[in-house]
Amino acid sequence: MTALTSPSEAEIYAELQPEASRQMETMETLKRWRRKVGVLEGVEALNFSGAFETGGGFIVELGARDENVLKDAVNRFSTALRGVEGLHDVRDDLQQGVPQIRLKLKPQAEHLGLNAAALATQIGDAFGGLEVQRIQRNDDEIKIYVKYQQQRRRYLRDILDTHIETENGQLLPLSVVATIESGYVPTAINRRNGQRVAQVRASLDKTVISPGEAFQWIQDNLSPELKSLYPELTIKGAGELEEIGEIKGGMLHGLIMIVVLIYALLAVPLKSYWQPLVIMSVIPFGFVGAVIGHWLNDVPLSILSFFGMLAVTGVVVNDSLVMMTRFNELREQGHDFHASLVMAGGSRFRAITLTTVTTVCGLTPLLLETSEQAQYLIPAAISLAWGELFATPVTLLIIPTLTRIFSDIGKLFGSGNRSVI
């Protein structure tokens, strides 16, 4: 399907068959398509995309006060990115823009009573139109313009053949009173904090390199070199990189708030300052398991991976709470400290293990799914499944161990078991 999005842009969509019924992966299809097309004459930007790009895709923003410095830096930056494996369709927004004709009044024309305003007015009226009258017709106001006929304002030579009227009524050719220059100007100029900024975009093959890895390579290799050549140059992530940074910052604040709320909700019913810390000590191991799971499945970490890590936080806390609650019940029944730990671990082993097994079994069909729609959810499922698998045995070991350690600390300071635990 082909769609014209504007007079100068077009998009071509190709709907692929499900991966199970075709022999070629999406990214490989994209690579071959890109190779077959090659370089198209007259095309300013050509982009091939095989997946949804969040935040506008991979974008790096360069800024400088001097426009020439910015252009040179963007050229060097784009050339370097084209040599990075996994980065394709590198392009920037410093295009030539739209054609423009610039008229500059000659010094001798000023002696004839002409100035830049008069020159612009006459050219504008002849080719753009001069309003000579307005007519009111019912509720509508009709404007009447006078300008050259269409066949006299169609080509560049029509401007060159134009005559300019001087102050004394003399008609002179345009070339006599002004110099004529042609060139291109950008359709929009972007500035931020007094700097002219340009955006360099690229399409990423995320099976080869992630947005974070690509930007880290830029910071480690490309940024120092460019800043040594252009000290005033600034380089920052935009688009998907900026969105990822904002989401990570929001998730960090959310994680801190969640940890504080979990502590408060555990401390009140348990009537202890230290037991919530023992229960929450398992949370980092869930994160470690999620990272190991991504590494074993060769799946890069993404925003959805962090959502899965937040989900696994609640599950591992619940497992730890079940064991700690049983320990407190046994202590209230009069069992000694060591026996309570052993009995709590044994009696809650089945419940904790079954929670993990049922969760992992429920997520297994999603982890094995090969459809394109499922690929967006698999990182979250990996975080949840592998986080639980790793944290469950740790929970069964670390909760009794830490409980014993805090009990010994209480005895060391003479506080007694129940005041500390």
Side-chain angles (χ1 to χ4, degrees), residues 44 67 71 95-104 120 123 155-156 159-160 174 179-189:
E44 291 185 353
E67 184 175 351
K71 288 182 178 180
Q95 296 110 346
Q96 292 181 339
V98 295
Q100 183 185 68
I101 296 176
R102 292 185 292 271
L103 305 178
K104 186 176 181 182
I123 294 295
Y155 304 106
L156 179 60
I159 298 179
L160 302 178
L174 179 62
T179 58
I180 304 172
E181 298 177 354
S182 62
Y184 290 87
V185 293
T187 54
I189 296 178

Side-chain angles (χ1 to χ4, degrees), residues 139-155:
D139 295 334
D140 298 327
E141 185 180 59
I142 300 174
K143 299 178 181 180
I144 299 176
Y145 290 88
V146 175
K147 55 185 175 182
Y148 285 165
Q149 295 179 356
Q150 186 174 359
Q151 59 267 27
R152 284 204 56 193
R153 49 185 173 86
R154 181 178 298 178
Y155 304 106

Side-chain angles (χ1 to χ4, degrees), residues 54-55 192 236-255 303 306-307:
T54 58
R192 183 174 289 114
K236 58 171 289 190
E240 185 178 12
L241 292 168
E242 189 174 21
E243 189 170 299
I244 290 174
E246 291 175 356
I247 293 176
K248 283 183 177 179
M251 291 182 65
L252 179 60
H253 294 144
L255 180 61
I303 297 300
F306 291 104
F307 287 148

